[in-house]
């Protein structure tokens, strides 16, 4: 897979996932919304760690400055 996510994009996704996780464990969000957001946070974490977003590939977006 060719990387298509830059460093800032990865950091933003990790921070958003951490905030969602914190909100869940502090019972700020609950119910169906909490599980949907946790699923999205999980996707954010996975895509951040592998530096590849399938949705970016579909729409032709690339936030990575240097292609590897």
């Amino acid at each position: 897979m060719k990387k298509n996510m830059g460093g800032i994009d990865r950091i933003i996704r990790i921070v958003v996932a951490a905030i969602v996780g914190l909100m869940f464990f502090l019972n700020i969000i609950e119910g169906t919304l909490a599980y949907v957001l946790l699923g999205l946070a999980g996707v954010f974490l996975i895509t951040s760690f592998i530096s590849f977003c399938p949705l970016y590939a579909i729409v032709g977006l690339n936030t990575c400055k240097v292609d590897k």
Side-chain angles (χ1 to χ4, degrees):
M1 284 183 292
K2 191 174 187 181
K3 293 184 179 187
N4 64 0
M5 288 179 55
I8 294 174
D9 192 10
R10 292 174 59 205
I11 291 170
I12 291 171
R13 287 172 179 249
I14 291 170
V15 168
V16 168
I19 290 171
V20 169
L22 185 63
M23 289 173 61
F24 177 76
F25 288 112
L26 294 176
N27 291 323
I28 295 172
I29 55 173
E30 49 189 30
T32 304
L33 175 65
Y35 294 116
V36 169
L37 290 177
L38 280 175
L40 184 61
V43 170
F44 276 9
L45 283 176
I46 292 169
T47 57
S48 293
F49 289 132
I50 62 173
S51 297
F52 179 78
C53 179
L55 186 58
Y56 282 8
I58 292 171
V59 297
L61 187 63
N62 185 355
T63 60
C64 186
K65 291 184 181 181
V66 178
D67 291 334
K68 294 183 180 180

